[in-house]
Amino acid sequence: MVTAAQPLSPAADPARRLPAVRHLGPNWYACVMGTAIVGTAGAALPWQASGLRAVCTAVWALSLALLAVLLVARSLHWRHHRDQARAHLLDPTAAPFYGCLSMALLAVGGGALTVGRDWLGTPAAVALDAVLFTVGTVVGLAAAVAVPYLMAVRHRTAPEQASPVWLLPLVAPMVSAAVGPLLVPHLPAGQPRETLLLACVALFGVSLLATLVTLPLIFGRLLTGGPLPLALTPSLFLVLGPLGQSTTAVGKFADVAPGVVPAPYAGGFEVLAVLYGVPVMGFALLWLCLAAAHVVRARREGMGFSMTWWSFTFPVGTCVTGAEALARHTGLAVYDGLSVVLYAGLVTAWAVAAAHTARGLVSGALLAGPRPAPAAPRSATARTR
């Protein structure tokens, strides 16, 4: 005998268990990244206003709290909504955002030693950074392999679908390369310090070469395929991430290399910081202008707020830290001024994105599922007389 299917109870229906986290994707870690870099970049500005460091430390503490909340919320997402989590992995537009988890861990960990030690103390800051750096690096390397693998064997993408979002899992090892040198002075002298420094250089190479083979696809798509969809236009700023972060990384290598590697190599890192950083920062400024022009156009066309607006924060922040590194190693005031101008833009972008995000959370709009497509009108026949 055939019986009618019974409706699922709320406990058995995945969509009804903790519905608030069902559509909480990995892109939310961008809030943590963007908040953390406001604190770390501000603490290294050449001109320090009274109380600025305390404000930067407070902003970093906020990023730490956001990270803790998101880690719990994402754990609940995977526990209660595994179908949606798997759908994110199999979605070529969502899977690259798994690189954001790594960068959020690394950004908060690096901030612990940059400003967090003022409140935590150096031993606790070192311990926190060591844990977050280790986990973040492992997650970043896994994402750098797994996401391109999924794109090759499971996702179906065409050249005209190339997006700056593809860079997210590839830039994660570069963030490790940039924050790892902060731990070098806290290791025993000798091989432990040299090993970590050269491991960071290897991570720099992993990310740089992967970016160099991916960026032409994105640039070609932009030139031949026309502007990105309005909601995706802010993602053009993601290209600044590997550019600014790699400039920051080579500057950090030069900072810690003396006494860690033999003298010829220590001097080589100092040369690399300038000869690599200056042209790359030049291209970053070119791309910044290009991306800003596209955003102005999209805004005029009616682009509204979405979570892609967080692309205006962390990538610009890496350019701030890159300019700060160039200021240290060249002694040129122009890079001091550039870092201050970029930081002003970073703070403005962060404030706007944070305000819209908070409003969207309160209203529930940002955690709601995608709207279903409108149903096609029913066909009707009319009598003729």
Side-chain angles (χ1 to χ4, degrees), residues 222-308:
L222 191 64
L223 294 182
T224 61
L228 295 178
L230 296 183
L232 288 179
T233 302
S235 68
L236 288 171
F237 276 72
L238 295 176
V239 175
L240 298 175
L243 303 176
Q245 199 67 279
S246 61
T247 304
T248 303
V250 293
K252 294 290 186 182
F253 299 160
D255 291 340
V256 303
V260 174
V261 294
Y265 303 112
F269 280 121
E270 183 70 29
V271 172
L272 180 65
V274 177
L275 294 187
Y276 175 88
V278 171
V280 170
M281 182 57 66
F283 180 68
L285 294 177
L286 169 67
W287 191 274
L288 175 62
C289 295
L290 177 65
H294 275 266
V295 168
V296 170
R297 173 197 167 274
R299 188 65 172 161
R300 289 175 177 172
E301 294 288 330
M303 180 188 74
F305 173 76
S306 67
M307 288 300 289
T308 56

